Amino acid sequence: LAQDAKDRPEKLAGLKLIDGKFDGARVLTILRRNGTVIQVSRNGLLIENFPKIRAQFEDLQWEGKDMVIDGEMMSANFQALMTQFKRKTNVDTDDSVYHVFDMIPLEEFYDGESKEGQLARRQNLKKFWAENIKTLENVEFVPYEIVNLSTPEGQARFKKLNEEAIERKLEGLMIKEVHG
């Protein structure tokens, strides 16, 4: 879960991976090498309310390692999204977009620790997304920047990124360890 960094100055120093904080529904998509796609909440509850996006992942006919893709499901209207997210019938989520920001092998996900750092995982996810962009029509890769927050230039860039996030109506910024 995201935490406010205002009272944690160590989080605002050094080389960091910065991206936008979306206000949607957190969804983990599990791609199994047998072609099965499962979507769950961060609490592990099965989510079946995004059939269009799940079908796009199923169309990949995944044959690689079992993977977990982490992202935020968004819609034009947050309240409407949450209503659809909780519905048991008559679900209409065709306008939803899945903003993805992490990808980790399922085995490492279960272990609770990745062998790769955040930057390497993001690069792998970007490559995966770019190779499958035509199939994953409702999936967007969340862009990021590497910023050195210990420099005046980095602090200025961070401020600018925060302003841009607010203009884009995001909740703010996520600050992550590059190699963590």
Side-chain angles (χ1 to χ4, degrees):
L1 292 173
Q3 299 173 346
D4 195 330
K6 286 180 183 174
D7 297 328
R8 305 201 44 209
E10 73 279 5
K11 295 287 184 186
L12 297 172
L15 204 57
K16 303 294 180 185
L17 185 146
I18 311 286
D19 64 13
K21 168 94 173 71
F22 290 81
D23 186 15
R26 186 83 171 266
V27 175
L28 302 173
T29 299
I30 302 168
L31 301 178
R32 306 296 302 246
R33 82 176 65 88
N34 64 6
T36 302
V37 176
I38 302 165
Q39 291 182 315
V40 297
S41 70
R42 67 174 173 239
N43 297 327
L45 299 174
L46 185 64
I47 298 171
E48 295 183 327
N49 293 24
F50 300 97
K52 182 176 182 179
I53 293 172
R54 188 177 62 247
Q56 291 172 12
F57 280 102
E58 289 169 345
D59 287 347
L60 297 177
Q61 298 180 347
W62 183 250
E63 294 180 3
K65 274 182 162 180
D66 293 349
M67 300 297 286
V68 176
I69 296 177
D70 196 355
E72 198 83 7
M73 204 63 78
M74 299 281 294
S75 185
N77 176 308
F78 178 76
Q79 296 297 48
L81 173 73
M82 295 316 292
T83 298
Q84 296 299 324
F85 187 79
K86 296 174 183 176
R87 275 202 172 155
K88 301 294 183 207
T89 60
N90 300 323
V91 176
D92 179 12
T93 56
D94 284 352
D95 75 331
S96 295
V97 176
Y98 188 36
H99 297 271
V100 296
F101 50 79
D102 204 353
M103 182 174 180
I104 183 171
L106 182 60
E107 181 179 306
E108 292 177 17
F109 179 81
Y110 284 140
D111 290 345
E113 187 173 1
S114 177
K115 294 175 184 164
E116 294 186 306
Q118 181 68 230
L119 180 58
R121 294 195 316 269
R122 276 306 256 283
Q123 291 168 337
N124 290 338
L125 176 60
K126 186 174 185 178
K127 182 177 183 243
F128 164 83
W129 176 75
E131 290 170 351
N132 296 291
I133 192 169
K134 290 184 178 169
T135 304
L136 300 175
E137 295 175 15
N138 291 73
V139 178
E140 291 289 330
F141 175 78
V142 176
Y144 63 89
E145 278 190 42
I146 305 299
V147 178
N148 187 344
L149 296 178
S150 294
T151 68
E153 298 82 14
Q155 286 292 319
R157 183 63 187 146
F158 179 74
K159 182 178 179 186
K160 180 71 172 160
L161 288 170
N162 199 40
E163 290 168 2
E164 290 170 1
I166 292 167
E167 287 172 14
R168 291 175 35 216
K169 304 213 183 315
L170 298 178
E171 282 190 306
L173 296 175
M174 297 296 292
I175 304 166
K176 302 171 183 173
E177 296 296 328
V178 172
H179 302 292

